[in-house]
Amino acid sequence: EAGVAQSPRYKIIEKRQSVAFWCNPISGHATLYWYQQILGQGPKLLIQFQNNGVVDDSQLPKDRFSAERLKGVDSTLKIQPAKLEDSAVYLCASSAPVGKGNEKLFFGSGTQLSVL
Amino acid sequence: QQQVKQSPQSLIVQKGGISIINCAYENTAFDYFPWYQQFPGKGPALLIAIRPDVSEKKEGRFTISFNKSAKQFSLHIMDSQPGDSATYFCAAGTYKYIFGTGTRLKVLA
């Protein structure tokens, strides 16, 4: 079974530039997540999709971050304009139900973003 | 935002020893407590998970102990091996999860 695919693997940009990340979840997984993982910290949820609808985007800095999931499969996360504090690994995950309303998350390898 | 507090931040254990990582949560509505293992350059991968209706769950060398009244849970790695060297994250939630800050485990050969 193919895992969650993400690209690019690394990205270096200057502040105020824009950047986009792409994610392809595991086939058949309806729920997709974008997490931000700052060095030395745990993943922080940015946005959660159920099919192509947004379930939770309460932690997404909407003045600069946007995300979409067209056709309920692939997703893109965009940052415009980037700030120094956006330097982090951006993880995409999709999930499968494990009963009682809980979900098992499958993570991609992430995109490491450095903002200079 | 509800927090999940994890300790220690780092841990060094001899091969064959027991590694213990602790977490505490705040929200009593949380009903699923997974542990994730992350190797450098990789995304976290589910290791083991527990629900609050049991006090302990064991899978191979990995055991979760759960104390509902104290709102605490811990991961025990028995017979720790160098291949267990990784960062471990606890998490808590229902259908979405809050992650702890991580514990970097190093097992010495």
Side-chain angles (χ1 to χ4, degrees):
Chain A
E1 178 183 74
V4 176
Q6 289 189 247
S7 67
R9 190 74 180 85
Y10 304 93
K11 192 72 177 179
I12 301 174
I13 61 172
E14 296 190 350
K15 61 182 179 183
R16 292 187 289 273
Q17 287 187 325
S18 62
V19 64
F21 313 126
W22 173 83
C23 173
N24 181 246
I26 293 173
S27 178
H29 284 188
T31 307
L32 183 148
Y33 313 75
W34 283 101
Y35 282 85
Q36 180 192 56
Q37 186 175 21
I38 294 173
L39 186 65
Q41 298 182 20
K44 171 190 164 186
L45 179 66
L46 292 175
I47 188 167
Q48 178 184 352
F49 291 95
Q50 179 78 17
N51 296 308
N52 61 349
V54 176
V55 174
D56 184 352
D57 64 356
S58 58
Q59 299 291 311
L60 188 73
K62 298 180 186 63
D63 58 335
R64 298 184 300 107
F65 286 64
S66 64
E68 61 181 8
R69 190 183 184 196
L70 299 177
K71 301 180 181 179
V73 181
D74 293 7
S75 178
T76 57
L77 176 69
K78 297 179 181 179
I79 308 175
Q80 182 179 14
K83 293 185 175 181
L84 296 177
E85 58 261 36
D86 298 332
S87 295
V89 175
Y90 290 85
L91 295 164
C92 178
S94 63
S95 67
V98 291
K100 299 185 179 181
N102 304 131
E103 298 279 321
K104 174 182 177 179
L105 272 61
F106 297 82
F107 284 89
S109 294
T111 296
Q112 185 170 324
L113 173 67
S114 296
V115 182
L116 306 179
Chain B
Q1 183 182 3
Q2 299 283 348
Q3 286 189 329
V4 175
K5 296 181 180 180
Q6 183 172 347
S7 63
Q9 188 174 12
S10 62
L11 183 60
I12 299 175
V13 174
Q14 294 288 339
K15 179 182 176 181
I18 302 174
S19 305
I20 302 174
I21 305 170
N22 301 298
C23 283
Y25 63 100
E26 299 174 351
N27 191 334
T28 55
F30 290 161
D31 65 357
Y32 192 63
F33 302 87
W35 284 89
Y36 283 81
Q37 180 187 55
Q38 185 176 29
F39 293 104
K42 300 293 186 182
L46 180 66
L47 190 62
I48 186 173
I50 196 169
R51 290 195 175 91
D53 52 347
V54 297
S55 60
E56 185 175 282
K57 183 175 182 180
K58 183 176 181 179
E59 290 184 2
R61 296 185 294 109
F62 301 92
T63 299
I64 300 178
S65 296
F66 189 86
N67 186 329
K68 188 174 181 178
S69 60
K71 294 188 285 186
Q72 295 176 347
F73 58 111
S74 60
L75 176 69
H76 296 235
I77 306 175
M78 312 300 287
D79 187 26
S80 298
Q81 299 296 312
D84 297 331
S85 297
T87 300
Y88 293 81
F89 294 96
C90 62
T94 53
Y95 63 91
K96 61 179 181 178
Y97 306 103
I98 298 171
F99 283 79
T101 51
T103 296
R104 183 174 291 185
L105 172 66
K106 184 175 179 64
V107 181
L108 302 177

